[in-house]
């Protein structure tokens, strides 16, 4: 199944609601269960793979 792009702010908001997190400063690795991550070819942008309600997703952090 192809991964669906989710903006990072929406992924964090979903994770905070799903896990009941109240920390306003939490990041993507704290808010969702990241299964894989790495750097894009530009060497600056990071990508994250995770599942959102059973749907494989990815997000980018610039």
């Amino acid at each position: 199944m192809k991964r669906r792009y989710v903006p990072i702010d929406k992924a964090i908001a979903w994770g905070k609601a799903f896990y009941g997190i109240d920390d306003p400063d939490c990041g993507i690795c704290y808010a969702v269960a990241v299964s894989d991550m790495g750097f894009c070819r530009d060497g600056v942008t990071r990508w994250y793979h995770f599942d959102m309600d059973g749907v494989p997703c990815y997000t980018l952090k610039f």
Side-chain angles (χ1 to χ4, degrees):
M1 179 186 282
K2 187 175 178 181
R3 291 195 177 272
R4 188 179 101 200
Y5 173 74
V6 178
I8 194 165
D9 57 337
K10 302 242 188 247
I12 292 173
W14 175 84
K16 287 171 68 172
F18 185 79
Y19 293 112
I21 300 169
D22 291 332
D23 185 5
D25 296 327
C26 74
I28 188 72
C29 290
Y30 185 70
V32 299
V34 174
S35 61
D36 199 9
M37 62 183 166
F39 283 94
C40 294
R41 290 182 185 157
D42 65 1
V44 177
T45 306
R46 288 178 265 176
W47 55 265
Y48 300 91
H49 287 177
F50 58 95
D51 288 343
M52 184 183 284
D53 292 330
V55 177
C57 300
Y58 74 96
T59 192
L60 301 171
K61 183 175 182 182
F62 302 98

